[in-house]
Structures are given as structure tokens and as C-alpha cells.
Amino acid sequence: MEIPMIDFGELRGENRNKTMSLLHAACENWGFFQARISAFSLYCESNLGLAMLTEEMTGHGLTFLQIENHGVDKSLMEKVKSLVKSHYEQNLKANFYESEIASQLVTGRNSKTDWETTFFISHQPNSNITEIPSLSKDLCTALEEYIAQLIMLAEQLSELMCENLGLDKDHIKKSFSGERGPSMGTKVAIYPQCPQPEQVRGLREHTDAGGIILLLQDDQVPGLEFLKDGKWVQIPPSKNNTIFINTGDQVEILSNGRYKSALHRVMAERNGSRLSIATFYNPASDAVISPAPKLLYPNQFTFGDYLKLYATTKFLEKEPRFETLKKMAGTVA
Ligand SMILES: O=C(O)CCC(=O)C(=O)O
Ligand SMILES: [Fe+2]
């Protein structure tokens, strides 16, 4: 099965409508897709992004030209992946294989554990990156640069989803904002090579609690699977410059069920350790979530009132009739 691929470069120019339709269909029918992006497409699409990018570049001594170059993004991703792998080898691997999770594998009592080793970085509203034990300065810097780009991508995606849903383009962002804006965080994970993968899952099946999830995953070792039409679909390792994206429970609620959060899991693997860096664009903990009023059917009207309206609109489209009913809500007798 071919996983939908959204090319962000196509969001400018003549293929925009086609790409927007592809994105909408991926959100409605799959709940996940892959994105081909470049720093250039991010920079072109979003004014906000441009401001942040400039700030970020200035902060890290990058020049404008380098960021415009498609290759920079790719090499940053490669750098992040390779530094995370060394960090695992040096700081996490030995502990993992000595841990209770690993020792329980022998006794076959693993149904309630996940064969993974992780750390979580929060970015917004507050960063905790300096508190994470043993992160090298290089890894810290690379992660911060990478994440700054992902924040732009997440916001851009939230706007595109709003546009496809017929909402104001900042609807998701506003809904996810508590006092201090949406929450963003990154889970850095390695699923260590597993001698008995049939005994345990890398990560048991679940849907994600939050909003939009952007995943940079291993380019060699597979493991991620999504449920689609009752069947588990294997997501192949990500080659080149692709990011894998899925939507969580809050997007399902906000979109009134249009964009469903899909069930997924990570299989443990016998042949190699799998890297995954998942960035979450989530509501703040004090954000109040509800389905977008525009996406709700009219409610609380009498059928008698409906019929009165119907009498004059029977041969017209039903959608404007529904909108009129919503405006009448509370005013009907
Ligand atoms: O590691 C992955 O590929 C997926 C991780 C995931 O589903 C999660 O952390 O919620
Ligand atoms: Fe997940």
C-alpha cells in the first residue's frame, strides 16, 4: 500500500489545489501521511516561519543562503539522527539491556511494557533541553535547529488543515493556545535490537492524545505500523528528506470526526535498533477543546421550524439551509 506523499514544494504555484486535495484526503481517509519538505518550501510558505527562521539563523550563525538550500535541511536531519544514535550507544544502551524491561523478556512477562528507551524534550511554553542528562552540546544545538524548523512546519500544517476544513486558518492554533500558546515537545526514542521480538512490542498500540505529530524516523530499520481499514500497514523506513505525519485525538475532536486519529504501534525488531524522533504540536494543558462550531450540524431546532425553512429552500443546496438553521439556533420558538 502506497502511503500518501505530500510535497510541500508543490504548495506554491499551479499544483496547489491538487496538493491541498491530496492532503485533505490523506487526513480524512488515512489519518497519516508523509511530507517531502525543504527549508525552501517552509521559508516561502509562512511569513511567521520566515521571521522565526531568520531569528533562528541569526542565533546559530547561519546565512540565509544556506537555509534556502534544500541540502541544508537534509544534512541537519542526518546530523540529528547520527548524534542521537551515538548518544544512545554511549549513554542509554547499556542501561537499557540491564533494565527490568530487558530482563523480563527472558521470563516472558512483557505484555505491559514497551521495548524502547526514550527522553522527552519540551520546547514550548518552556524548554527543558538543558536539563536532559548527558546531551552533548552538538546534539543540543542540532536538535534545537531541527526543532525550530519543525515548529514552523507544524504551524504551517495546522493552517493548511484549517483551510481544507473550511475554518479560519488560525483556528487550530487558537484552540490549542492556552495562556501561553500551543505546547510543543519532542520524544526521542531508540527501539533497541530485540532478541525475541515476538514477546514484546516496541510500543503498544495506541492513538496519540494531542494534535499534529511529525516523525523523523530511521532510514534502515522498520517497525512502525498503522491500522488502516482494519489492517496493519507497515510504514517503511523514511528515505531522503521525508517526515511522517499523523493526527491525534484532539484534531479528531476539533474536526468533529473528519480527521480521525489512527491506531498505531511499533514492532520490536530482531535486526537492528530503530531511531524515532517524534515532535508533538499539542494543545496547552489549559487549552479548552471543543469541536469547531462551523463543523457541527445544526442542533436544538424543532422539525416544524425546519419544515418552514425547507418549504422555501427545498430545491436549493442543503448546506446553506443548515447554516441558516445554525444562525436561528436559540431564536426559534
Ligand atoms: O516511534 C514511532 O515511530 C512512533 C512513536 C509513537 O507512536 C509515539 O511516541 O506516540
Ligand atoms: Fe504514537
Side-chain angles (χ1 to χ4, degrees):
M1 217 181 288
E2 194 86 354
I3 318 294
M5 172 73 83
I6 311 297
D7 189 339
F8 271 65
E10 298 283 1
L11 283 167
R12 282 162 284 126
E14 58 191 39
N15 285 334
R16 186 171 198 275
N17 287 349
K18 201 172 117 204
T19 311
M20 286 297 279
S21 302
L22 272 177
L23 174 65
H24 192 49
C27 292
E28 276 198 321
N29 305 329
W30 293 70
F32 55 93
F33 55 93
Q34 308 173 78
R36 191 181 290 131
I37 54 155
S38 63
F40 185 63
S41 49
L42 284 180
Y43 142 69
C44 282
E45 275 299 316
S46 149
N47 288 336
L48 172 73
L50 181 59
M52 286 177 60
L53 191 59
T54 312
E55 201 177 84
E56 192 58 25
M57 286 186 313
T58 327
H60 292 96
L62 296 172
T63 73
F64 201 71
L65 268 178
Q66 274 176 308
I67 272 287
E68 263 189 325
N69 181 343
H70 188 285
V72 172
D73 225 26
K74 192 174 169 189
S75 64
L76 179 57
M77 289 178 182
E78 292 303 324
K79 190 169 172 186
V80 168
K81 287 194 287 188
S82 119
L83 288 169
V84 166
K85 282 187 176 163
S86 324
H87 175 75
Y88 164 72
E89 293 291 331
Q90 285 158 22
N91 302 293
L92 306 173
K93 185 175 176 179
N95 282 350
F96 177 81
Y97 285 109
E98 281 161 17
S99 71
E100 219 173 296
I101 299 175
S103 58
Q104 280 183 0
L105 185 65
V106 183
T107 59
R109 284 189 283 115
N110 276 283
S111 58
K112 295 235 162 14
T113 50
D114 302 302
W115 188 264
E116 63 170 359
T117 169
T118 67
F119 60 91
F120 190 84
I121 311 171
S122 92
H123 323 296
Q124 288 175 10
N126 296 313
S127 171
N128 70 344
I129 198 158
T130 54
E131 290 153 32
I132 300 186
S134 5
L135 276 197
S136 70
K137 193 159 184 328
D138 277 357
L139 177 51
C140 224
T141 310
L143 277 169
E144 281 184 321
E145 281 175 21
Y146 167 72
I147 284 157
Q149 295 197 7
L150 277 225
I151 291 178
M152 287 190 282
L153 179 59
E155 300 229 304
Q156 190 184 331
L157 260 172
S158 77
E159 290 182 3
L160 295 171
M161 285 179 189
C162 286
E163 189 180 331
N164 272 334
L165 288 166
L167 301 173
D168 292 344
K169 77 175 189 174
D170 58 356
H171 186 92
I172 293 181
K173 184 174 182 180
K174 277 194 175 151
S175 307
F176 281 13
S177 292
E179 288 274 297
R180 303 174 61 197
S183 154
M184 297 250 348
T186 294
K187 175 186 154 192
V188 180
I190 298 281
Y191 300 90
Q193 185 165 14
C194 181
Q196 289 168 280
E198 57 294 331
Q199 296 270 22
V200 68
R201 292 271 182 266
L203 184 59
R204 287 161 291 164
E205 65 186 65
H206 64 283
T207 60
D208 290 333
I212 302 173
I213 299 91
L214 307 100
L215 178 71
L216 173 60
Q217 55 155 353
D218 209 280
D219 51 19
Q220 300 295 329
V221 182
L224 180 60
E225 297 187 351
F226 267 75
L227 197 66
K228 159 109 176 94
D229 303 330
K231 292 204 181 79
W232 288 105
V233 178
Q234 295 178 354
I235 310 297
S238 290
K239 301 288 181 195
N240 301 321
N241 213 2
T242 58
I243 302 255
F244 184 88
I245 291 157
N246 68 291
T247 47
D249 297 344
Q250 303 317 306
V251 169
E252 176 164 339
I253 292 168
L254 186 140
S255 70
N256 199 35
R258 289 264 195 101
Y259 291 176
K260 296 230 167 24
S261 59
L263 212 52
H264 54 286
R265 66 186 184 189
V266 179
M267 306 304 273
E269 291 293 323
R270 194 185 302 278
N271 302 312
S273 300
R274 173 174 176 271
L275 164 145
S276 119
I277 303 174
T279 300
F280 297 84
Y281 183 74
N282 281 354
S285 56
D286 59 339
V288 177
I289 306 295
S290 58
K294 270 196 191 163
L295 302 180
L296 292 177
Y297 279 110
N299 56 61
Q300 301 290 328
F301 52 85
T302 65
F303 186 51
D305 284 323
Y306 190 86
L307 285 181
K308 265 188 235 155
L309 183 62
Y310 185 75
T312 55
T313 59
K314 176 171 178 177
F315 299 108
L316 303 175
E317 284 181 352
K318 66 188 168 194
E319 284 77 15
R321 182 156 66 236
F322 290 172
E323 284 310 309
T324 309
L325 266 177
K326 282 193 211 173
K327 290 193 191 107
M328 283 163 54
T331 62
V332 281

